[in-house]
Amino acid sequence: MHLQICGSLDREQARQMLDRVGQVLQEMGRAYLLADLTQLDGIPHDSRRAIGEWAKTHHATAAALYGANFAMRTVTSLLFQAVRLIGNKHFELEFARDEAAARRWIDAHRARRSGPPGDG
């Protein structure tokens, strides 16, 4: 699932994103996020809380993010560390330099987990 987040990720946008990730998980058994954060300005508290609540019952596979500035990398890293603590201990996060590098990382991650969903 490829996302481009512009401005601040408000609660409604977060809900829509999480609903779609949930659909992909249900249909495919796995969900990889590829996110362009070049225009991300922030993730408000209510959006971070919604993501944390969602992560208690859903388990996205991994995410490769690119284009984030230092502040957004820090906020995003903290958010995904919380997701791991909440219950998705196997979730992996990669900050890539660009979209091509992010896609290569996801491809390599998929290859490592090439068995049926739930095997890795």
Side-chain angles (χ1 to χ4, degrees):
M1 184 173 159
H2 192 178
L3 306 168
Q4 181 180 30
I5 303 171
C6 300
S8 182
L9 179 65
D10 67 35
R11 185 174 171 82
E12 179 59 21
Q13 290 170 323
R15 186 195 61 75
Q16 290 175 7
M17 174 188 70
L18 296 172
D19 287 349
R20 182 63 185 128
V21 173
Q23 290 172 347
V24 170
L25 279 168
Q26 188 172 16
E27 293 169 14
M28 307 298 288
R30 293 188 181 128
Y32 288 91
L33 304 177
L34 173 67
D36 177 354
L37 304 183
T38 54
Q39 297 180 45
L40 177 65
D41 291 336
I43 306 171
H45 178 71
D46 60 341
S47 297
R48 292 191 308 268
R49 185 176 349 171
I51 293 167
E53 287 297 315
W54 183 89
K56 289 179 181 178
T57 57
H58 298 82
H59 298 282
T61 308
L65 315 175
Y66 63 95
N69 63 35
F70 177 77
M72 288 302 99
R73 280 194 311 270
T74 301
V75 168
T76 306
S77 290
L78 292 172
L79 174 61
F80 284 106
Q81 285 176 0
V83 165
R84 282 187 200 107
L85 290 173
I86 287 169
N88 192 354
K89 294 176 182 14
H90 301 290
F91 182 84
E92 293 185 54
L93 175 68
E94 175 73 9
F95 287 98
R97 110 182 136 272
D98 57 27
E99 182 179 346
R103 286 183 183 276
R104 283 191 301 273
W105 184 85
I106 288 174
D107 289 343
H109 191 279
R110 275 191 187 122
R112 287 191 309 272
R113 294 185 54 148
S114 61
D119 278 1

